[in-house]
Amino acid sequence: MEVNPNIKVRKMVADDLPRINEIDNLLAGRARVTTWPFSFEAYWEVFKPELTYVAEVDNEIVGFLVGYMKEMEGTHSILRQADAQVIPTSHHKKVGWIEMIGIQPEYQNKGVGRFLVEAFSKECKDNNAAVNCLVRVDDDRLGKFYTRLGFRPWDTLVYIKDD
């Protein structure tokens, strides 16, 4: 991977939304953000995400990351009570969740995503929060990206039942 040393990461502002929509629209098919089926701007208006970052190269936005932080949730399941390690335990009181990440195609595999995840992770660390992300089971590319950054898959799947 060729890392671009000119990558700068900063907090996203409302004026960045048109460019973020452009990048999101460039990511077609399996590379497109799947967390939100509408425009990024609609996502921004509905959820007002607190941890949002953009990556710039030569003052042009080339990537974005959106996440949030919340109090750690637990379960009263016997699996948590037992030392089965089915549900990961943590000493953190909060957890940061990466919801979306998008990189302009010609800047992929150049360190942009890594810089964005590092900025998000630093914010979480500063707030004593664990860092988590969700990846579709069939999204090998994103799963491999997060694995290279030190994430590991959790061995439990969530099953849902449609009415």
Side-chain angles (χ1 to χ4, degrees), residues 20-158:
I20 300 306
N21 276 331
E22 287 175 16
I23 292 171
D24 188 36
N25 289 331
L26 289 172
L27 304 175
R30 292 177 47 86
R32 184 169 186 298
V33 171
T34 58
T35 308
W36 186 252
F38 307 108
S39 74
F40 183 86
E41 194 164 352
Y43 171 88
W44 175 279
E45 288 300 318
V46 170
F47 292 107
K48 312 265 189 269
E50 64 190 74
L51 295 177
T52 57
Y53 300 91
V54 295
E56 296 178 321
V57 173
D58 299 326
N59 296 317
E60 178 188 358
I61 295 173
V62 298
F64 66 93
L65 181 146
V66 178
Y68 64 93
M69 201 178 315
K70 63 186 265 182
E71 295 298 316
M72 183 73 78
E73 292 181 359
T75 177
H76 297 291
S77 164
I78 189 70
L79 296 174
R80 173 150 326 260
Q81 305 305 320
D83 191 21
Q85 294 191 338
V86 174
I87 299 171
T89 57
S90 173
H91 65 277
H92 300 286
K93 295 188 186 269
K94 294 181 182 179
V95 62
W97 286 97
I98 297 173
E99 282 222 309
M100 295 184 196
I101 187 167
I103 312 300
Q104 188 173 319
E106 56 268 28
Y107 285 92
Q108 292 177 4
N109 299 309
K110 295 187 179 353
V112 174
R114 175 180 295 275
F115 276 58
L116 287 164
V117 171
E118 286 173 356
F120 181 85
S121 297
K122 181 183 180 322
E123 183 90 19
C124 289
K125 182 179 180 181
D126 290 348
N127 286 279
N128 192 29
V131 181
N132 291 330
C133 58
L134 293 175
V135 178
R136 284 190 330 257
V137 173
D138 65 344
D139 194 341
D140 293 330
R141 186 173 181 207
L142 188 57
K144 287 177 182 175
F145 166 74
Y146 283 124
T147 298
R148 285 192 308 271
L149 296 180
F151 289 81
R152 63 178 174 76
W154 187 22
D155 60 358
T156 302
L157 294 174
V158 175

